[in-house]
Amino acid sequence: MKIIVDMMGGDNAPLAVLEGAAQAVKEYGVQLIGVGNEALVRKTAAEHNIPLDGIELVNCTETIEMCDEPARAIRQKKDSSIVVGLNMLKEGKGDAFVSAGSTGALHVGASLIVRTLRGVKRPALATMVPAKQQAYLLLDCGANVECRPEMLAAFAVMGSCYVNKVEGRKNPSVALTNNGAEESKGTPVLRDAHQLLKTTPGIRFVGNIEPRDVPNGEVDVVVCDGFTGNVILKLTEGVAKMLLGMLKQMFLANLGGKLAYLLLKGGVTDLKHQMDSEEYGGAPFLGAKQPVIKAHGSSKAKGIKNAIRQAKICVENDLCGTMQSALDELAAAQKTEE
Amino acid sequence: MKIIVDMMGGDNAPLAVLEGAAQAVKEYGVQLIGVGNEALVRKTAAEHNIPLDGIELVNCTETIEMCDEPARAIRQKKDSSIVVGLNMLKEGKGDAFVSAGSTGALHVGASLIVRTLRGVKRPALATMVPAKQQAYLLLDCGANVECRPEMLAAFAVMGSCYVNKVEGRKNPSVALTNNGAEESKGTPVLRDAHQLLKTTPGIRFVGNIEPRDVPNGEVDVVVCDGFTGNVILKLTEGVAKMLLGMLKQMFLANLGGKLAYLLLKGGVTDLKHQMDSEEYGGAPFLGAKQPVIKAHGSSKAKGIKNAIRQAKICVENDLCGTMQSALDELAAAQKTEE
């Protein structure tokens, strides 16, 4: 197995990517292909004493920036790390692609270069989101702003495969984000999606989930359109950041606060750990023909390492093959119904 | 001034409503009309030694339940506290209506009985949401699941009037919830709304706001459709509840935690206070011809009292008249443009 890594993606590239890649080689024994500005990567590795064992470097001359328009960047920057890496994935030179670069460019590239599974028009971006009981898989969390009911059903099927194969959860539950528990709630799209999900084969649909219950982490897969998913993902991060910031202020306020911090240190560390999205690796584009994983743009070494581990699990468990079988079953069921 | 109060609305009616009403009479010197089952209200007041001074009671025989279909309930339950109260408001027997009852029924009732301001088809539900810097007004937070750009512009105008007149903020800022700062982001409706808001008179539009920045509380009015607003409101509550619950677990875990709690007690109380939605009273239906305020269904006395205070401020500052003038200005500007 070889995992292709975008050395130029993210706020802390190439240093954080190199560190994470080197750690992944050491801990998981994976073989990596690092795509990027080879001279810069070698210089950075030498400066920071990062071993390049197990990392084959492929040089490219361009980088897709966050400000580039995604579709144009994929078409025009042919020698960028994202385009070169995705082409290598498509050509079978590697088994998965990991990047902390532009989400939009990765989405377009996954669709146009790697192509999608039968029954999927555009891949969905999925993320494990920290929650009370346990983290849940949220999809789509930003790639497809508007979604038809059939897309939401495909998300449910692919999300179930993912948490089963990658997170090891048996018979995962799936819920549809809506502004009420009743079937009659929400927009016409959501009402239709609810009916479709009730008869979707191979998933355990538990009905609508209200936003207030999402952070309880009592379902495994939370399905929604990419606009709503973006709100859920980013607002969860924002509210957690606000409250943890307020807590920190309390600890710093006076001597009593500092003493309290020492007394609670273990618990606070656990809490931060539980709320740390880097623990869960990156966000897979579900529906691409091969695993494409988007690591957080601000990933440090740990985030990159965990995204590589996640890519390895996807490959080992043939996630894409499993999803294709499940999607074919869905298509067959829909055909029978017509 | 007389404020009409629904004695039968909410999980803790009529006791909590009575307590809140009595406190409001005492603290703010308002005159109240309490609509509900008079015998039950008098019995509850006697049992708990709650004075009925300043509260005129109007008997009615029906109650709209949370499970009732809103439009049908408003049409059929003519002698319910909501229908009787809203009719009294319309007939000028009172100046504002406060209820902790069914949001859906209040929305339908505000539209059909009280009627809407010129330029408003259906009122929006607005709520002050606790945030880091200061609470912000979120609208629509659930009444209108889908919204056209013109509706979002009207929300921006009405929301600005509200935070100015009721919260006393000068020259309030307004932002549009979107999945990116750029004008080109979001659904077609949001892109059109962005352009419309740029030229809307009488508001200070500061552009799109991303969900992650919403909890910072740096803008005064956050505009969105009712589906998105419901997600923002309820998810903010859900995440805060989850984290405060985890914090509590830490305090209860062992002796060190208990000691830490004693050291932090003041700060924790401040934090809970800041995150407590009951402090901000209820959610006004902006766009109704007269003030209709929805108190939280789980309101205790404090929530009811604050909702009555809020109704009083709306009346004192002629909020509805101010909003009508601003909406007329918006309509004139749109006409000129055509």
Side-chain angles (χ1 to χ4, degrees):
Chain A
M1 185 199 315
K2 277 189 181 173
I3 293 166
I4 308 165
V5 179
D6 173 8
M7 305 308 284
M8 314 307 286
D11 308 339
N12 308 308
L15 179 57
V17 184
L18 258 171
E19 289 172 337
Q23 287 173 19
V25 169
K26 201 174 153 195
E27 288 187 35
Y28 313 131
V30 284
Q31 288 284 310
L32 303 181
I33 301 175
V35 184
N37 179 331
E38 188 173 348
L40 177 65
V41 171
R42 287 199 185 276
K43 184 167 159 270
T44 309
E47 277 171 10
H48 294 83
N49 282 320
I50 302 168
L52 289 172
D53 310 335
I55 309 175
E56 176 191 330
L57 293 180
V58 170
N59 186 51
C60 67
T61 57
E62 291 175 296
T63 302
I64 295 179
E65 309 291 345
M66 300 308 283
C67 56
D68 286 336
E69 199 281 308
R72 193 181 308 142
I74 290 294
R75 275 197 313 272
Q76 297 182 345
K77 291 192 166 176
K78 294 287 181 205
D79 202 35
S80 63
S81 52
I82 288 179
V83 173
V84 171
L86 290 174
N87 271 313
M88 290 179 70
L89 178 63
K90 182 196 174 187
E91 292 156 11
K93 291 176 186 159
D95 301 286
F97 183 65
V98 171
S99 171
S102 155
T103 308
L106 285 164
H107 188 229
V108 174
S111 302
L112 297 185
I113 300 172
V114 184
R115 300 297 176 95
T116 53
L117 298 171
R118 275 188 306 279
V120 176
K121 209 174 165 192
R122 282 161 61 100
L125 188 61
T127 307
M128 294 301 296
V129 184
K132 190 174 175 189
Q133 190 168 310
Q134 60 179 353
Y136 61 90
L137 186 76
L138 176 71
L139 79 168
D140 183 355
C141 56
N144 304 287
V145 168
E146 293 179 295
C147 294
R148 296 186 312 280
E150 305 77 48
M151 290 170 74
L152 296 171
F155 296 171
V157 167
M158 295 192 295
S160 296
C161 292
Y162 182 88
V163 293
N164 177 253
K165 289 288 175 184
V166 178
E167 296 291 321
R169 300 190 194 173
K170 281 183 186 153
N171 196 19
S173 54
V174 182
L176 177 68
T177 309
N178 208 336
N179 60 344
E182 306 84 353
E183 293 185 10
S184 60
K185 283 284 181 177
T187 59
V189 166
L190 288 172
R191 288 197 292 269
D192 288 352
H194 186 105
Q195 295 308 317
L196 195 55
L197 286 166
K198 284 207 294 187
T199 58
T200 296
I203 65 165
R204 181 158 69 88
F205 180 54
V206 296
N208 291 342
I209 186 167
E210 293 188 67
R212 84 166 78 223
D213 296 324
V214 167
N216 291 339
E218 287 166 0
V219 297
D220 297 298
V221 180
V222 172
V223 168
C224 55
D225 64 65
F227 187 85
T228 304
N230 183 266
V231 173
I232 293 176
L233 179 65
K234 299 300 172 63
L235 191 67
T236 300
E237 286 177 11
V239 175
K241 197 178 155 197
M242 169 184 77
L243 286 169
L244 292 176
M246 286 170 166
L247 190 59
K248 195 176 167 188
Q249 285 301 317
M250 268 192 251
F251 290 142
L252 293 172
N254 50 40
L255 197 66
K258 281 167 193 146
L259 182 56
Y261 175 69
L262 292 176
L263 290 164
L264 291 175
K265 212 173 169 181
V268 173
T269 307
D270 286 351
L271 179 63
K272 278 190 184 160
H273 189 86
Q274 193 176 345
M275 295 308 295
D276 179 6
S277 55
E278 289 208 13
E279 289 293 331
Y280 300 98
F285 282 99
L286 297 186
K289 266 192 182 162
Q290 285 154 292
V292 176
I293 313 260
K294 152 79 184 153
H296 210 291
S298 61
S299 289
K300 299 200 179 65
K302 185 175 68 179
I304 300 292
K305 184 190 78 173
N306 283 327
I308 294 172
R309 179 177 59 86
Q310 192 182 7
K312 178 173 176 266
I313 301 174
C314 291
V315 177
E316 281 171 352
N317 292 284
D318 186 24
L319 174 68
C320 295
T322 308
M323 289 196 300
Q324 186 62 78
S325 305
L327 288 166
D328 287 346
E329 205 187 322
L330 172 62
Q334 283 172 350
K335 213 164 188 177
T336 313
E337 228 164 77
E338 285 164 14
Chain B
M1 185 198 314
K2 277 189 180 175
I3 294 166
I4 308 165
V5 178
D6 173 8
M7 305 309 283
M8 313 308 286
D11 308 339
N12 309 308
L15 178 58
V17 184
L18 258 171
E19 289 172 336
Q23 288 173 19
V25 169
K26 201 173 153 196
E27 288 186 35
Y28 313 130
V30 284
Q31 287 286 311
L32 304 180
I33 301 174
V35 184
N37 178 331
E38 188 173 347
L40 176 65
V41 171
R42 288 199 184 277
K43 183 167 161 269
T44 308
E47 277 171 8
H48 294 83
N49 281 320
I50 302 167
L52 289 171
D53 309 335
I55 309 175
E56 176 191 331
L57 292 180
V58 170
N59 186 50
C60 66
T61 57
E62 291 176 295
T63 302
I64 295 180
E65 309 290 346
M66 299 308 283
C67 56
D68 285 336
E69 200 279 308
R72 193 180 309 142
I74 290 294
R75 275 198 313 272
Q76 297 182 345
K77 290 191 166 176
K78 294 287 181 206
D79 202 35
S80 63
S81 51
I82 288 179
V83 173
V84 171
L86 289 174
N87 271 315
M88 290 179 71
L89 178 63
K90 183 194 173 188
E91 292 156 11
K93 292 176 185 158
D95 302 286
F97 183 65
V98 171
S99 170
S102 157
T103 308
L106 285 164
H107 188 229
V108 174
S111 302
L112 297 186
I113 300 172
V114 184
R115 300 297 175 100
T116 54
L117 297 171
R118 275 188 306 281
V120 175
K121 209 173 165 192
R122 283 160 60 99
L125 188 62
T127 307
M128 294 302 294
V129 183
K132 191 175 174 189
Q133 190 168 309
Q134 60 179 353
Y136 60 91
L137 186 75
L138 177 71
L139 79 167
D140 184 353
C141 55
N144 304 287
V145 168
E146 293 180 295
C147 295
R148 295 185 313 281
E150 305 76 51
M151 291 170 74
L152 296 171
F155 295 172
V157 167
M158 295 191 295
S160 295
C161 292
Y162 182 87
V163 293
N164 177 253
K165 289 287 174 186
V166 178
E167 296 291 321
R169 299 189 195 176
K170 280 185 186 153
N171 196 19
S173 55
V174 182
L176 177 69
T177 308
N178 208 335
N179 60 345
E182 306 84 354
E183 294 184 12
S184 61
K185 284 282 180 176
T187 58
V189 166
L190 287 172
R191 288 197 294 269
D192 287 352
H194 187 105
Q195 294 309 317
L196 195 55
L197 286 165
K198 283 207 293 185
T199 59
T200 296
I203 64 164
R204 182 159 68 89
F205 180 54
V206 295
N208 291 342
I209 186 166
E210 293 188 66
R212 83 166 79 221
D213 297 324
V214 167
N216 291 338
E218 287 165 358
V219 297
D220 297 298
V221 180
V222 172
V223 167
C224 55
D225 64 65
F227 187 86
T228 303
N230 182 267
V231 172
I232 292 176
L233 179 65
K234 298 300 172 61
L235 191 67
T236 300
E237 286 177 9
V239 175
K241 196 178 157 197
M242 168 184 77
L243 286 170
L244 293 175
M246 285 171 166
L247 190 59
K248 194 176 169 189
Q249 285 302 315
M250 269 191 251
F251 290 141
L252 294 171
N254 50 41
L255 198 64
K258 281 168 193 144
L259 183 55
Y261 175 70
L262 292 177
L263 291 164
L264 292 175
K265 211 172 170 184
V268 172
T269 307
D270 286 351
L271 179 63
K272 278 190 185 160
H273 190 86
Q274 193 175 346
M275 295 309 295
D276 179 5
S277 55
E278 289 206 15
E279 289 294 331
Y280 301 98
F285 282 98
L286 298 186
K289 266 192 182 163
Q290 285 154 292
V292 176
I293 312 260
K294 151 79 184 154
H296 210 292
S298 61
S299 289
K300 300 201 177 65
K302 185 175 68 178
I304 300 291
K305 183 189 79 173
N306 282 328
I308 294 171
R309 180 176 58 87
Q310 191 182 7
K312 179 174 175 267
I313 301 174
C314 290
V315 177
E316 281 172 350
N317 290 284
D318 186 23
L319 175 68
C320 294
T322 309
M323 288 197 301
Q324 185 64 75
S325 305
L327 287 166
D328 287 346
E329 203 186 325
L330 171 63
Q334 284 173 350
K335 214 165 190 178
T336 313
E337 228 165 76
E338 284 162 13

